[in-house]
Amino acid sequence: TLQGLPCPAANAIVADLGGTVKLPGVYCTASGIGVTGTLTLDGNGDPNANFVFQAGTSLTTAGNIVLINGAQAKNVYWVLGSSGTLGTASQWQGNVIALTSITMVTNATLNG
């Protein structure tokens, strides 16, 4: 169901998400998602705000997720066409759903 949600063209992921702020919605790429640095998810005052990140392939992190303005980890979804790797010391938020595998490297944390 999450993979089939429509993704607005304005929410296409074209670069590393580190250093950006995202509002609730569906974000997508046909390839992989990279997060180096901090990605801030802004719930815009809604504790039920959903964030869905759809990747055709993988997720690779060397960063952190910060939740603000009501955003909650239980409402964040990372939907991966292959594998996810949460890099060393990444502090990750959300639910990782991967077709192949999920790897958490040394001192990585996941709250979802």
Side-chain angles (χ1 to χ4, degrees), residues 1-12 24-29 50-54:
T1 300
L2 292 168
Q3 189 67 10
L5 292 174
C7 179
N11 290 357
V26 177
Y27 299 86
C28 58
T29 179
N50 287 306
F51 300 83
V52 178
F53 295 87
Q54 304 165 335

Side-chain angles (χ1 to χ4, degrees), residues 51-84:
F51 300 83
V52 178
F53 295 87
Q54 304 165 335
T57 59
S58 61
L59 167 68
T60 306
T61 75
N64 307 306
I65 303 294
V66 173
L67 304 174
I68 63 171
N69 296 326
Q72 297 187 59
K74 69 179 184 176
N75 297 328
V76 179
Y77 300 92
W78 301 90
V79 185
L80 314 175
S82 62
S83 301

